[in-house]
Amino acid sequence: MMQPEGKGALDVATRFRAIIVFPAAVLAFAALASCGEDQGTSGEGSANAGTTADTVQASQLFPDNFKGVCSGASVSTATAYDPGASTHKALYFATYRDDLMDQSSSLPGDWTVRFSPDSDALRAVDLVVCARRTAARQVKVCDGYRSNGNATQNRVRWHTATYELSVREARTGRTLAQTTLEATGSDCPMFMNFDGDSDTVDAYASPSDSAVADFLRPHVTR
């Protein structure tokens, strides 16, 4: 990751955070050295516990299960959206390169829920917010990036962008509201990833966290 010398700017590369999913702990059952009726009872209890754990793990929801909602897909095991409910939980996906990436950590903490390997926490999600980039305009070329203190020929083509912002019901995929948002940030990114020392890459302004929150607020607060 390279940084331009003497330039302060939006950290575009680090806006996109990868979620590392750790598998649930494997349940190990020790054989019980008992006999008669007690042994049979213990065996049944272990089998039932294993079946329950396997069922929960198989049905567990992950953030990527909700990405299709931005294209009208549904998540049948998500919470049904009730506009009169006292609490709501949302996930947020925004365009990164040619795909959508989970950006839920940029929402207010009490509006979203984090994945947990120990529970099916994402089943509580009832809303999905989508920021899909629909247009972009190159406004400058950024240079001066250094690698390990050495100057490089790397450059960034910086774009402002237009986004289609929508909020949808997680369970049905139905659109509740939609708008167009202009991302006009003009600062060169302070950090960028390059494959070599003479690459030119594209980067795009993103919707501000406050703009996304203002759009979502009527659907999560009363």
Side-chain angles (χ1 to χ4, degrees):
M1 185 172 290
M2 301 180 185
Q3 176 180 7
E5 183 178 19
K7 294 186 179 181
L10 175 67
D11 183 351
V12 169
T14 58
R15 280 186 59 87
F16 302 94
R17 304 173 177 87
I19 296 179
I20 303 175
V21 178
F22 295 93
V26 178
L27 299 178
F29 297 95
L32 300 179
S34 58
C35 60
E37 184 177 352
D38 290 342
Q39 181 176 359
T41 303
S42 298
E44 290 179 6
S46 297
N48 290 338
T51 300
T52 302
D54 291 342
T55 301
V56 171
Q57 186 174 356
S59 65
Q60 193 172 35
L61 290 173
F62 296 85
D64 273 1
N65 290 126
F66 293 85
K67 185 163 61 174
V69 174
C70 292
S71 300
S74 60
V75 181
S76 61
T77 54
T79 295
Y81 177 67
D82 176 4
S86 58
T87 61
H88 300 277
K89 299 298 181 182
L91 292 182
Y92 170 42
F93 294 90
T95 299
Y96 176 59
R97 295 184 178 176
D98 297 323
D99 200 0
L100 292 172
M101 180 171 284
D102 181 17
Q103 294 292 288
S104 304
S105 60
S106 66
L107 295 177
D110 58 340
W111 291 9
T112 188
V113 59
R114 294 184 181 276
F115 173 82
S116 170
D118 301 320
S119 66
D120 200 7
L122 294 186
R123 201 173 281 264
V125 171
D126 57 348
L127 291 172
V128 175
V129 187
C130 312
R132 192 183 295 277
R133 190 173 65 239
T134 57
R137 296 158 296 283
Q138 182 178 321
V139 294
K140 62 166 60 173
V141 175
C142 308
D143 56 16
Y145 290 90
R146 304 180 71 86
S147 175
N148 297 321
N150 300 315
T152 73
Q153 299 302 311
N154 291 316
R155 302 192 307 168
V156 174
R157 291 186 292 254
W158 182 251
H159 302 72
T160 58
T162 302
Y163 290 85
E164 177 189 272
L165 198 61
S166 62
V167 57
R168 300 166 182 257
E169 294 181 355
R171 176 174 281 192
T172 67
R174 185 172 72 92
T175 300
L176 297 175
Q178 184 172 304
T179 191
T180 298
L181 182 68
E182 298 293 331
T184 58
S186 59
D187 290 336
C188 288
M190 182 176 295
F191 299 98
M192 282 297 294
N193 291 319
F194 300 95
D195 292 330
D197 291 334
S198 58
D199 297 331
T200 298
V201 300
D202 295 300
Y204 304 85
S206 299
S208 69
D209 294 348
S210 60
V212 174
D214 287 344
F215 173 70
L216 179 59
R217 183 171 288 105
H219 304 281
V220 295
T221 61
R222 290 193 299 168

